[in-house]
């Protein structure tokens, strides 16, 4: 059975790159009806950020990336929080020492600092690699703090085959004797994740490509224990567009890159998921770019993952989001809008009609306030706004005639719904010998004060109601 995991460190917000890793990991498992595990990697105690685990869990819940095993959910391989598994790692580290693949290191911080100041890139000089058994025992007995380091082979190469990037090979002489267990008794990421992936039966390790070149060290651990190596699926880098057109690793300076910030800015989780699914993966045959999570489960295969860096394009995400919003049914849109509308909406406004007009004109929910402003307050405008080539309006006297006639019929119109309004204004066309379009143009400018609006004249009047309509036309006439 395919088993994958998402193994975030709770060190901050949910970066969009992490969410993509979670998504791909989830999809690889679910494509095969396999298991998806959430594991919290919190052994770097200094980098922990309060509340970060909750953000991770809520993000997975909101996006529908439900895990089969993990904190709270439970499962046969728990606990799923690494700090609760401390004893397990020490046991395995000692096994490695016994087998000759790891060793105790008693070097003091001062010694290591001195080493570093002499040669910043040199790394550890393997000073404790060959301590005698007696020396080690004596040090342990006298309680000298220690770390446990991996004993890297000094010659030869270590290779593995990544499902996306192909064969990766490293000279063993380049591998540092990395720390497996720290002096505080916690394992490093480098060690803990290997032990856990093995114990949790993970078949596919899915993660960012920053781990591509450290993986030879990890496969050496599998080999040392005699465990079968998992499949590695390293994901392409995520880049952001810089102002000068170049690209660099996606970061805050490119815009909102946390899931929470995007949601707060009015992006829909479904749109975000759909968009990031395509950041590094492409379906084999598909006419469309729009996929639900269920469709992705069916379509997603590892051979569709590309190794070329993917560029996060905010414009494209915005477009995706707009498409998702436009397709929402009205009730759902009203519901979602609530959180975003800060404007207090006066009683004359037909709110539902207004939102329906706006639904297909916003690309994200945070645009609502700004886009609805003209319904609530008539903007300042100059009378020249009435001029229009297409409708052949170049004479303000004509505009005045139209608005006077409109004011008269609208005063006598009692039901302010779109159809009735249209039927009231229609006869003016024949009466004034003008095209309906030209009449509607004049009325729309008068009731909106804007050249481009969501909705036509009658739709806007339906939203703002009779009194406001008459008052706005009156104001226009006063201008002319
Ligand atoms: N805790 C690691 C991280 O957040 C996980 C890497 C991995 O998936 O192995 O980067």
């Amino acid at each position: 059975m395919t088993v994958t995991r998402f193994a975030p460190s709770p060190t901050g917000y949910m970066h969009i790159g992490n969410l993509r890793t979670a998504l791909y990991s989830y999809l690889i498992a679910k494509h095969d009806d396999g298991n998806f595990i959430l594991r919290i990697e919190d052994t770097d105690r200094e980098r922990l950020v309060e509340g970060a685990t909750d953000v991770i869990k809520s993000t997975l819940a909101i996006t529908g990336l439900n895990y089969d095993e993990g904190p709270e959910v439970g499962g046969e391989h728990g606990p799923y929080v690494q700090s609760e598994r401390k004893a397990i790692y020490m046991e395995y580290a000692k096994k490695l020492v016994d087998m000759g693949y790891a060793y105790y290191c008693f070097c003091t911080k001062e010694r290591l600092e001195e080493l570093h100041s002499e040669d910043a890139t040199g790394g550890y000089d393997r000073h404790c690699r060959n301590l005698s058994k007696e020396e080690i025992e004596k040090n342990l007995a006298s309680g000298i703090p220690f770390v446990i380091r991996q004993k890297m082979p000094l010659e030869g190469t270590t290779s593995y085959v990544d499902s996306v990037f192909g064969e990766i090979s490293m000279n063993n002489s380049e591998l540092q004797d990395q720390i497996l267990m720290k002096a505080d008794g916690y394992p490093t990421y480098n060690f803990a994740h290997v032990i856990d992936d093995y114990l949790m039966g993970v078949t596919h390790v899915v993660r960012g490509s920053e781990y591509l070149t450290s993986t030879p060290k990890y496969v050496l651990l599998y080999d040392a224990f005699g465990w079968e190596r998992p499949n590695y699926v390293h994901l392409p880098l995520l880049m952001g567009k810089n102002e000068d057109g170049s690209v660099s690793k996606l970061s805050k300076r490119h815009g909102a890159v946390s899931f929470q910030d995007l949601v707060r800015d009015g992006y829909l989780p479904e749109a975000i998921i759909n968009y990031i699914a395509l950041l590094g993966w492409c379906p084999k045959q598909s006419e469309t770019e729009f996929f639900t999570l269920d469709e992705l489960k069916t379509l997603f295969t590892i051979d569709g993952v590309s190794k070329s860096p993917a560029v996060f394009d905010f414009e494209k995400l915005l477009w995706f989001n707009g498409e998702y919003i436009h397709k929402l049914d009205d009730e759902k849109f009203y519901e979602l809008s609530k959180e975003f509308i800060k404007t207090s909406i006066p009683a004359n406004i037909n709110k539902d009609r207004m939102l329906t007009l706006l639904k297909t004109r916003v690309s994200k929910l945070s645009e609502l306030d700004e886009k609805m402003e003209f319904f609530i307050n008539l903007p300042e405008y100059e009378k020249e706004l009435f001029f229009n080539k297409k409708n052949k309006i170049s004479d303000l006297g004509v505009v005045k005639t139209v608005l006077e006639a409109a004011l008269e019929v609208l005063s006598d119109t009692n039901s302010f719904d779109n159809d009735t309004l249209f039927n009231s204004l229609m006869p003016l066309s024949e009466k004034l010998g003008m095209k309906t379009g030209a009449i509607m143009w004049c009325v729309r400018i008068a009731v909106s004060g804007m050249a481009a609006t969501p909705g036509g004249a009658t739709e806007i009047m339906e939203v703002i109601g009779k009194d406001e309509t008459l008052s706005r036309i009156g104001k226009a006439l006063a201008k002319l």
Side-chain angles (χ1 to χ4, degrees), residues 5-11 18 21 39-42 47 82 189 193-194 197 205-208 210-211 218 232 234:
R5 57 21 172 217
F6 175 50
S9 306
T11 52
N18 287 346
T21 302
R39 182 174 73 224
I40 302 295
E41 303 207 321
D42 61 346
R47 289 182 58 222
Q82 287 187 328
Y189 158 74
H193 88 274
V194 170
D197 285 342
V205 170
V206 184
R207 63 184 166 209
E210 62 270 31
Y211 295 100
Y218 311 144
Y232 287 101
H234 286 100

Side-chain angles (χ1 to χ4, degrees), residues 102-108 111-112 124-132 135-136 139 147 149 151 177:
Y103 60 91
Y104 289 96
C105 168
F106 301 95
C107 287
T108 59
R111 179 172 188 277
L112 296 175
Y124 182 57
D125 63 356
R126 302 187 161 125
H127 180 260
C128 295
R129 186 163 158 132
N130 297 308
L131 293 182
S132 69
E135 224 166 330
I136 294 168
N139 286 348
V147 302
R149 289 182 184 272
K151 198 183 240 176
D177 283 0

Side-chain angles (χ1 to χ4, degrees), residues 295-326:
E295 288 164 344
L296 288 172
K297 283 188 209 171
T298 311
L299 288 172
F300 198 93
T301 52
I302 298 171
D303 53 3
V305 179
S306 153
K307 61 180 167 188
S308 339
V311 181
F312 190 96
D313 181 347
F314 282 92
E315 294 287 312
K316 181 94 193 257
L317 173 63
L318 189 64
W319 176 80
F320 251 98
N321 200 54
E323 296 297 306
Y324 268 81
I325 290 179
H326 307 165

Side-chain angles (χ1 to χ4, degrees), residues 112-127 149 173-178:
L112 296 175
E113 271 165 11
E114 204 184 302
L115 207 61
H116 191 74
S117 69
E118 280 163 19
D119 179 3
T121 55
Y124 182 57
D125 63 356
R126 302 187 161 125
H127 180 260
R149 289 182 184 272
S173 58
E174 287 169 48
L175 305 177
Q176 294 284 329
D177 283 0
Q178 62 177 352

Side-chain angles (χ1 to χ4, degrees), residues 78-263:
Y80 295 92
V81 178
Q82 287 187 328
S83 57
E84 295 165 22
R85 302 170 62 81
K86 221 171 150 187
I88 300 176
Y89 309 115
M90 189 52 101
E91 182 193 325
Y92 281 95
K94 287 185 173 160
K95 267 190 207 167
L96 279 183
V97 172
D98 291 344
M99 295 189 293
Y101 293 108
Y103 60 91
Y104 289 96
C105 168
F106 301 95
C107 287
T108 59
K109 219 169 139 199
E110 291 70 36
R111 179 172 188 277
L112 296 175
E113 271 165 11
E114 204 184 302
L115 207 61
H116 191 74
S117 69
E118 280 163 19
D119 179 3
T121 55
Y124 182 57
D125 63 356
R126 302 187 161 125
H127 180 260
C128 295
R129 186 163 158 132
N130 297 308
L131 293 182
S132 69
K133 218 172 164 191
E134 294 70 45
E135 224 166 330
I136 294 168
E137 238 120 67
K138 194 184 83 202
N139 286 348
L140 290 177
S142 45
I144 299 180
F146 66 87
V147 302
I148 296 178
R149 289 182 184 272
Q150 188 175 353
K151 198 183 240 176
M152 296 299 176
L154 301 176
E155 283 161 11
T157 56
T158 300
S159 323
Y160 72 99
V161 179
D162 183 82
S163 307
V164 176
F165 289 83
E167 178 165 316
I168 305 289
S169 203
M170 290 280 280
N171 286 328
N172 291 335
S173 58
E174 287 169 48
L175 305 177
Q176 294 284 329
D177 283 0
Q178 62 177 352
I179 296 177
L180 305 178
M181 295 297 297
K182 296 179 282 182
D184 62 4
Y186 280 98
T188 54
Y189 158 74
N190 295 326
F191 188 50
H193 88 274
V194 170
I195 301 301
D196 288 345
D197 285 342
Y198 169 72
L199 293 176
M200 295 179 181
V202 171
T203 58
H204 294 71
V205 170
V206 184
R207 63 184 166 209
S209 53
E210 62 270 31
Y211 295 100
L212 200 58
T213 54
S214 24
T215 298
K217 298 190 252 184
Y218 311 144
V219 302
L220 283 170
L221 290 170
Y222 281 88
D223 296 352
F225 283 114
W227 297 337
E228 191 188 333
R229 298 176 181 183
N231 295 295
Y232 287 101
V233 186
H234 286 100
L235 307 182
L237 284 173
L238 266 192
M239 316 297 276
K241 268 192 214 160
N242 301 320
E243 264 165 32
D244 65 0
S246 62
V247 294
S248 56
K249 197 169 176 239
L250 182 64
S251 73
K252 269 192 182 145
R253 74 196 159 94
H254 295 113
V257 288
S258 88
F259 176 74
Q260 275 64 31
D261 284 347
L262 289 172
V263 170

